[in-house]
Amino acid sequence: MSTLTITTRDAATGPVIEITGDLDYDTAPELRRAVNSLTVAGGHLLLLDLAGLRFCDSSGISALLSARSLAIEQGGHIALAAVPANTARILGIVGLDQVFTIHADAATATAPSSAAR
């Protein structure tokens, strides 16, 4: 069975979701629920911190896109931080590295100058 841990915290730039484990068909609904419970204020950043992500399949990618849609619908922005190499490769192949702002780590992404990206 896949394991996923989702931790949500607030930063000055907006909500941060730390994703640890496997983001796949079995666990993607957990991320969708976590994101749907958030409010991304206009102009704020929803950051998905992927530092602990071990695996991401197409269902996980779909959940990331759903998070992006929610952030945009609420007038906010979205970014990914600490994207593992295997996931970054997939994002690049399908062109999503051009859709998501990607930061090296969560600290960089939540720095006040990064909020408007």
Side-chain angles (χ1 to χ4, degrees):
M1 176 157 200
S2 303
T3 59
L4 183 72
T5 303
I6 297 172
T7 306
T8 304
R9 65 181 172 86
D10 289 321
T13 54
V16 177
I17 297 180
E18 297 171 358
I19 301 168
T20 304
D22 298 338
L23 184 56
D24 58 20
Y25 178 81
D26 292 328
T27 61
E30 294 175 46
L31 178 57
R32 289 177 194 267
R33 283 190 294 274
V35 169
N36 288 337
S37 71
L38 296 175
T39 299
V40 182
H44 279 176
L45 176 69
L46 170 59
L47 178 66
L48 303 181
D49 183 352
L50 306 181
L53 186 68
R54 288 189 310 250
F55 175 79
C56 184
D57 70 3
S58 60
S59 297
I61 298 293
S62 178
L64 297 178
L65 288 168
S66 291
R68 178 181 181 272
S69 293
L70 179 104
I72 291 169
E73 286 172 11
Q74 293 184 5
H77 308 280
I78 190 167
L80 307 178
V83 179
N86 57 343
T87 303
R89 180 176 176 270
I90 293 167
L91 293 175
I93 289 169
V94 297
L96 292 176
D97 59 338
Q98 303 299 308
V99 172
F100 287 103
T101 300
I102 299 175
H103 295 276
D105 55 51
T108 302
T110 58
S113 63
S114 297
R117 292 185 186 164

